[in-house]
Amino acid sequence: MKAEKVAPAIGIDLGTTYSCVAVWEDDHVEIITNDQGNRTTPSYVSFTKEERLVGETAFNNAAMDPTNTIFGVKRLIGRCFSDPIVKEDIKLWPFRVVAGAKNRPKIVVKYKGQKKNFFAEEISSMVLLKMKQIAETYFGCTVHDAVITVPAYFNDSQRRATKDAGVIAGFNVKRIMDEPTAAALAYGFHKIKDYSRPQNVFVFDLGGGTFDVSLVNICGGHFEVKATAGDTHLGGEHFDNRVLNYFVDEFQRKCKKDIKDNSRALKRLRSACERAKRALTANTETYVQVDCLYQGIDFSSELTRDRFDELNEDLFTKCIELTGQCLRDANVNKSDVDIIVLVGGSSRIPRVQKLLEEYFGDKKLHRNINQDEAVAYGAAIQAAKLSGSGCDTINKIVLTDVTPLSLGFGLVGDVMSVVVPRNTPIPTKQVAEFTTVKDGQSSVLFLVYEGERLKASSNHLLGEFEIFGISPAPRRVPKIDVWFEIDEDGILNVSGTERDSGKMSKIKINKDESWLRKDEIAKMIKTLENYKVEEEKYKKRVDAWTKLDDYVYEMSKTLRNQELVSLIPQSVRKKIEDEICKASSWLDIDEVPAVKVSKSKLLELKQICEPIVAKKNK
Ligand code: ADP
Ligand code: MG
């Protein structure tokens, strides 16, 4: 029996707007290109009458079908519906999000003519599956192991939900890794040999929808994240929105037309704004043009870099403020920062770079690594390290992450009692002592929060835990140790023991399940497998259709060969020409026909064209 070929572990940067996959191979990191030859893939999923599209095809479908094209789910993942941030996002999205069971947001789409609901994890799993398929096409075999990155600011539920998405996509998730750590690794990896003294690397990641800054200390092969800060709602799309609103107002002023409620017009104008923004990194002025923007009216206007900067100045300033916060948390003076690494597409904006340069004085901004690929690059190195397939340098690397938020529980009076302070290196295990307030009390309920606010309820509620089976005793006598254990993925597990006259006895802790249950995950895996079958069927349809298309193209070319054509009786030639002409307009349809239809059409055409083909092959 032939042994199954095993692909190496891959690294995936699951971005809000773009995702990227990479692998450590032949002593270097290879960024794996998608079927369109691009190194990053839009994190988009689109549902149509016929099938589900992911990546480039979904992105291209967004303008045509905005209500059924899903993007930016990374903003939704691991959050509850009532989260004010979710409420804000929903207002801006063209697709519908509703409250599902347990206050979990559900995305509503029309798929194959029917209404369907999806959790954010499910949509993310579709993007991850796409990245998996890109890698599988590259290796020619199944990929199992992956390291998936998340913003450093992601909390426990967001990390957990991302890991679930990976499991649903069929991955063995080897690690959930912080994006800035991955970027620092991508940068520092080649430099490790040169470092005789510790270096403070400041990672500045301004992406499509999130902003992360981290202070990473590199010493030899040892990488330690000293502190992180950021904003899950600050990035390229916010800059696009500022420009969009500016031009919506201008259109209103000039043409007396309001396009605010026309999602198609908005989408087209937003794309033009984004293109203009990119152009402004190289030029100081550009044009924003959209033909037939609204009711047949064309739109065209100038955008200067100065105007763009002015529209976004407060957002750029916020990036610098968060930079300061991160350094303060790390207890590092800005003069002690050795290198500034720029990551994320939006870090290309000249004004942002200028503000950073001003802030850090004469420090050199490091631009040597590709801003769009650095995170996946680092994840691939981590994947190789964890699976033992890397080189000596990789094996020497030690990564230490920290908790992005403080974890603790609510005391009487709604005061937050911190058990694991922010920026504690992980994995970690910390203990908190609990006791009873009534005589003979056998259970204690407590709420676990994460966040920095003194008032517990102002922080993010992670879950309700209940300690059972406490031995009967007068109040305040039982002593219960509750362990807060954070694993390498930054995911929290709570367990408890009762200290009974020096004897430790395990007690039971129940958690309010606000996350996905195992059976829910299993169900989602099954659904995704069905999609795979469906996609394979679709691929067969496309293949049959392409064969027909190729044949028609080939025959049209042949028919232009006058010499050849003159050898065939006129009536036969006429028939061939008519049929080829009919077939090419038939091929010009939006929907791909069934395999059967394309095949029989091809057969029919082959018979009709036989006389000319016979002459050609002579
Ligand atoms: P994420 O990791 O959040 O998915 P990326 O790091 O891939 O995002 O960055 C995508 C963002 O970068 C988009 O908003 C895109 O418009 C922006 N971007 C890409 N290139 C440029 C550029 N040259 N100038 C300004 N913004 C850019
Ligand atoms: Mg990113």
Side-chain angles (χ1 to χ4, degrees), residues 28 79 110 120 128 147 152 159 207 246 275-276 333 361 370 399-400 549 578:
H28 77 287
R79 290 184 186 274
K110 206 158 143 205
L128 285 171
V147 168
R159 280 163 200 268
Y246 174 74
R275 274 196 303 278
N333 213 310
N370 187 324
L399 292 169
T400 316
D549 189 54
D578 284 353

Side-chain angles (χ1 to χ4, degrees), residues 13 15-18 206-210 236-237 240 274 277-278 281 344-346 348-349 372:
D13 167 11
T16 314
T17 34
Y18 290 93
L206 188 56
T210 52
E237 70 188 50
D240 300 344
E274 201 244 357
K277 172 188 75 177
R278 287 180 191 244
T281 52
S346 304
R348 292 200 176 91
I349 296 171
D372 306 315

